[in-house]
Amino acid sequence: MLRTSEAQGDTLQLCSTPCHIHQQTLHTDRPDLPECFQLSVLSWLPCIYLWAVCPIYLFYLKRNNRGYIMMSIKNRFKTVFGLLLWIVCWTDLFYTFHELRQGHSQPPIYFITPLVLGITMLLATFLIQLERLRGVQSSGVLFIFWFLCVLCAIVPFRSKILQASSQVRTHLTDKLRFTTFYFYFSLVVLELILCCFNEKPPLFSSVVTDPVSHTSCFSVHNMAIKGYKMPLEVKDLWSLNQRDCSKKMVPKLLKEWEKEQAKAKRYVCKRGEGGESNLEEPSFLRALIKAFGPYFLIGSAFKLLQDIITFVNPQLLRMLISFTKQTGVPDWWGYTLAFLMFFTAFLQTLVLHRHFHYCFVTGMNVRTALIGAIYRKALVITNAAKRSSTVGEVVNLMSVDAQRFMDLTTFLNMLWSAPLQIMLALYFLWQNLGPSVLAGVAVMIMLIPFNAVIAMKTRAYQQMQYKDTRIKLMNEILNGIKVLKLYAWENSFKDKVLAIRQKELDVLRKSAYLGALSTMAWTSAPFLVALTTFAVYVTVDENNVLDAEKAFVSLSLFNILRFPLNMLPQVISSIVQTSISLKRIQGFLSHDELDPNSVDKNNTASEYSVTVVNGKFTWAKEDPPVLHSINMMVPQGSLLAVVGHVGCGKSSLISALLGEMEKVEGDISVRGSVAYVPQQAWIQNATLRDNILFENPYNEQKYHSVLEACALTFDLEVLPGGDMTEIGEKGINLSGGQRQRVSLARALYSDADVYLLDDPLSAVDAHVSKHIFENLIGPEGLLKGKTRILVTHGISFLPQVDNIMVMVEGQVSEMGSYQELLKQNGAFAEFLRNYALEDIIEEEEATGRTLLPELIEDEEMFPDDALSNHTDMVDNEPVINEAKRNFMRYWKFFSGSSTDGENPKSRSVRRHGCSQRKHSEPQEKKKPHEMEKLIQAETAETGRVKTKVYLEYVKAVGPLLSVVICFLYGCQSAAAIGSNIWLSQWTNDVSTNQTKENVPMRVGVYAALGIVQGTCILVMISSFTLAIGNISAARKLHYNLLSNKLHTPQSFFDTTPLGRIINRFSKDIYVIDEALPATVLMFLGTFFVSLSTIIVIISSTPIFAVVVVPLAFIYVFVQRFYVATSRQLKRLESVSRSPIYSHFSETITGCSVIRAYGRHTAFVLMSDMKVDENQKSYYPGIVSNRWLGVRIEFIGNCIVLFAALFAVAGKENLNPGLVGLSVSYALQVTMSLNWMVRMTSDLESNIVAVERVKEYSETKTEAPWEVEDKKPPPEWPIKGNVEFQNYSVRYREGLDLVLKNLTLNVRGGEKIGIVGRTGAGKSSMTLCLFRLLEAAAGEITIDEVRIAEIGLHDLRSKLTIIPQEPVLFSGTLRMNLDPFDKYTDEDVWKALEHSHLHRFVSNQTAKLELQCSEGGENLSVGQRQLVCLARALLRKTRILILDEATAAIDLETDDLIQSTIRTQFEDCTVFTIAHRLNTIMDYTRVLVLDKGQIAEFDTPANLLSQRGIFYSMAKDAGLTQ
């Protein structure tokens, strides 16, 4: 009391009138605030705000200078108005002085207020100009200031009008102050209006628009309108704010992470000195907090404010209920309370959405930074580290784990906010109900261990490991899909995937059941708390009466409690999941990196370009060394050939020179820049020109000379878009030879100092390899003068190289020039002698011609071995990797020609070239139409998600089950309404004084209704049934997707990037497994809550029904408006997500090439660009969510307003219980309305996953695997006769024929060689036998069975192919040979013996259980090829197809294989696509294909004597003259 009278004393000295308000304000029909209050509190409030904020704001402006904004008309007006305001305020001040001199002394307040206001207006004007100079386009600080000014001036505005109207009859006393006030009011309103508009951006600023305007209503509004009218496209999106870009975010995180790592290292050193070996890991969490904490804290501040505002409404509800009970209180007080409730709720909405905005942007930034950090790391990790993290796992880190961080940031503040809200709620409850609250707290505490147990259990059921394994396996299956089809192995792998999937679903089911239990606990928690509290309250003391005020204020507080109680366990479990992700990401980022200094690049002193001294290298520190005692010196500008058997370490040596291996001891130095051509060409998904330029500037002359040298000129003429043709993933639309030549062209164009060529000639035809050697690699080639290290299996070029290095089992056995090595008479000489090379060379030098024509004239002198040996050395051409899924093979062309001008063959080639050019001229004109993109852009579905998709999901859940679920949710809501109506009846007992008698009955029924609704029965059952339904849906959808993909024809995989299919199996299935069920659960919950609210309010105040219709209309309209935009943004976001992962997996496979060329930075930039592009469609999504939230909650706030207004209006007829019931329900509707739209939109966004999975589950399938009534007999084919009748085929609909009218008959046991230039249709012919390509006309019969009529598996299991590219799957060696376990171990060992792998496998400790890594990376390419041979030997079918299977194998092993095939498949029909003509010289017949037609078909001898195409090919290969 004392204090208040002192305060009154103070204000009395300031003013002449009293300042306390109660009587004057509340108990009158024309309430007003005292003048003193208006002049002091209301006038000073905005000033206090501005002066308080000013120092912080000035500091902020000093730190953030965005440039300078030109003075605009708007800015001039703001400044002028500011100065006018200062003049108006000080006019009042001077007028007061004037009155003083006149003898009218005024109280001090008349001096103080104008003075303070005037100075504040000057400060505001100063800020307006300072902001302009600092480049601030729209100011939040000043907006709030002007808003407060207007708000505080409204009361005096009304007062002065009331005063004037009462003084009209007399006359107006204080005219000047009256006038200045209205001037003041108008100017302040004008300032507020001007403040709503943005200034122009600063001069020379790169910022397109200020981020504030992104979140301002107008821009979102425009986007929403555009999105509603037509589906949004990428061009409609805003550019990303500079501060959110990868180039800002990633370095920010990496800087902190490097600090952490440095700190951990220092710590380890200290511990080391102290003699303890305790390792401290660097904390990635700390790095994240330091990088993103400060920005996130701003959001936390908003959250704190929102938590406090939340508790205002229950207090207002108390006043409202007491108002309805009292009589004689004026109505305006009730209406004021109603509007206050509305404003409080609205303010809460605005604050909450600011908080969400900060959280979401932080989440987005964290994801950007994580993806960037993971990408950068993946480029530099060691091979050992790569082994522990497969591509699938790392892609998961990027997609799933980074996503988890993003999801967590949204609700992370609940970690401290929830306990705060709980404490505040309990404090107010204590005030309301006293100690009885403790009973409720006890119930809450009892529920905590229950939930903790559930959380612990849920943690145990993390199924990431199964998901990783499944994705990894899917990745391999899709990479090797062609091999699976050729071997008819789909079922075996399908079973493997389904077995993993089953484990994944078991874990999901368990966690779903636990989830149901936890939902039950948290739904029933607020009710149980209310029940125990009320029951204890009324039974403890007879005087305790439960009236409406106590019950419903408590109930609204319990409802506030519900959200933190619900969220806390979710946040905790989310933190648990994210901590697992954190560990995984931290583990990956802590992997060892390749030592950039292992290769000395700065050695300029010596004349040697490449030196290795005592080199000892291993792939991983713990593995035994692969290369040891390596000593080599390669003189500047020389050509060194590295030769040796398969697996002797030739490719490893190249890797060691690139710094890709762990250096155990020794020194390496490489002088100058490096160009590297890997054994298996790495091609990007880009145009052919981009692949060759590889980020280097384009120089036309140099470019064309490179194409010429690499024999690519002809290829370009036949590609549909020339060098601008888009090359598919992994180069699928190029033949193997073309890929290898593009890889060579890239190396040549890069103009490096040292060239490391890992067997580049193995994949091209003989004449092409000769052309490339002469024009590019050899002593006269473009690279002369450069240092070249060439790994090769061909020996025809060895005489022309400067030095030869022979490797045996990881060591250098000999090194020297060709002649020196022959003289040394060591391993190399022995090797050559076996192949009688020098005899032939001497013979050629002597006679100038080869032995062949004589041999040919006399057919009896045609001994197999002599011929095969002696052609082997001259024709060094191992392979043309021609088959690979190439849909352009049917363009006919010759690649390169002999350089000898007199040669008639070369003239014919030139003529052919000219005629081809003539043909291609008209095509030039057609090009724009024709340039069909091979890989179509992924389409984003547009418009509403079709009802069919929902029905599809309902069907997958089970229609009956779906109805049951909805029914159960309905019952649950009915029970909840019942219990609250009962409570309202109970509170009305007070008015009829029946409280005592009815207590047991009231408590009993209330408890029964609540328990039915929550605790055990309905929530439990509905959650369980929902979980069962969701899991059965997840199972069906995945099963359909998988079986469809295994039945999909090969052409689909040729034109669809793997990333896109993998995305369906990882991201979309994850959504169906985990996100969709949660969304459905939330959607059903919120839908029924919203429905029950409307029902309750209408039943208590029926007039409310009038408002419901327009509100519902606006609600649906806003929701449709928003969902249209949001859905399209989600779709754009998921379409722009795939390229991130595709680019990433492409980078990982080619990282050695990227590092060798030093293109690290360019690729990082590319990845960043793709991430930014993705975030560009995510950011508007965040903003539109805020836009929606504000509007929807506004509707919710209107419901509160109308419920309260109607309660006030109908006060006479309503009892307090019903008022309490309807308003407390209205207060909770805002949240559920907001969540309902959010969930509707999430449901639409997530159901898109079902749509995408469904789309890929319904692609066209190939023929059935088995046709029951057409099954061939088990022993078929007995003879092995193969007949083609008028057979034609094309790759895909709408393309030209690849084979035209082939007719030929092959008898069982014949050996047929198939030859022809690149693109003649050789591989296509073999694919037709397997029906990977289906006939366009004609048919093939095998032993009188038409292959088109039988099932694919029946056909494919009876044929065997040794494909050109050896594909292995991760798993044991035995699984790779025999996935169905059909054969005994004895059979397998026998096959390994015949395929010359017996020694290698028996030396391994694991023997047949030897683990092959992903793609068989731990075997050399040659060994993989031998494994494929072993597969063929195991199957031992009557028909064998060899697709130039000896590509990557040295000559000796090749010979062994050829002899194996001759002996083991003696009685089989064999088709061989040959590039080394010598391998087929002893075949029964040779088929020469040209442009998809049979050009020649006869015995080799006859064909040579006919002097046709075959003869010219033999001549090119040096087999004849």
Side-chain angles (χ1 to χ4, degrees), residues 235 266 403 1130 1283 1478 1507:
K235 63 175 191 298
R266 283 202 301 275
Q403 191 66 37
K1130 271 270 171 67
E1283 194 177 341
N1478 57 291
R1507 299 202 159 225

Coordinates of all heavy atoms in Angstrom, one line a residue, residues 235 266 403 1130 1283 1478 1507:
K235 N 12.1 -20.9 -62.8 CA 12.4 -19.5 -63.1 C 11.5 -18.6 -62.2 O 11.9 -17.4 -62.1 CB 12.2 -19.2 -64.5 CG 10.7 -19.4 -65.0 CD 10.6 -19.0 -66.5 CE 9.2 -18.9 -67.0 NZ 8.5 -20.2 -67.0
R266 N 46.3 -31.2 -30.5 CA 47.1 -30.6 -29.4 C 46.9 -31.4 -28.1 O 47.8 -31.7 -27.4 CB 46.7 -29.2 -29.1 CG 47.2 -28.2 -30.2 CD 47.3 -26.8 -29.6 NE 45.9 -26.3 -29.2 CZ 45.1 -25.7 -30.1 NH1 45.4 -25.6 -31.4 NH2 43.9 -25.3 -29.7
Q403 N 19.4 -34.6 -43.5 CA 17.9 -34.2 -43.4 C 17.5 -34.3 -41.9 O 16.7 -33.4 -41.5 CB 17.1 -35.3 -44.2 CG 15.7 -34.9 -44.4 CD 15.5 -33.7 -45.3 OE1 16.2 -33.5 -46.2 NE2 14.5 -32.8 -44.9
K1130 N 7.7 -28.5 -53.2 CA 8.2 -29.7 -52.7 C 8.7 -30.6 -53.9 O 9.7 -31.2 -53.9 CB 7.1 -30.5 -52.0 CG 7.1 -30.2 -50.5 CD 8.0 -31.1 -49.7 CE 8.1 -30.7 -48.2 NZ 6.9 -30.8 -47.4
E1283 N 19.3 -70.8 -85.5 CA 18.9 -70.4 -86.8 C 18.2 -69.0 -86.7 O 17.4 -68.7 -85.9 CB 17.8 -71.4 -87.4 CG 17.6 -71.2 -88.9 CD 16.6 -72.2 -89.4 OE1 16.4 -73.3 -88.7 OE2 16.1 -72.0 -90.5
N1478 N 43.3 -63.2 -84.7 CA 44.0 -64.5 -84.6 C 43.2 -65.5 -83.8 O 43.3 -66.7 -84.0 CB 45.3 -64.3 -84.0 CG 45.2 -63.6 -82.6 OD1 44.8 -62.5 -82.5 ND2 45.4 -64.4 -81.6
R1507 N 39.2 -61.9 -100.8 CA 39.8 -60.6 -100.7 C 38.7 -59.5 -100.5 O 38.6 -58.5 -101.2 CB 40.6 -60.2 -102.0 CG 41.8 -61.1 -102.1 CD 42.8 -60.6 -103.0 NE 44.1 -61.3 -102.7 CZ 45.3 -60.7 -102.5 NH1 45.3 -59.4 -102.6 NH2 46.3 -61.3 -102.3

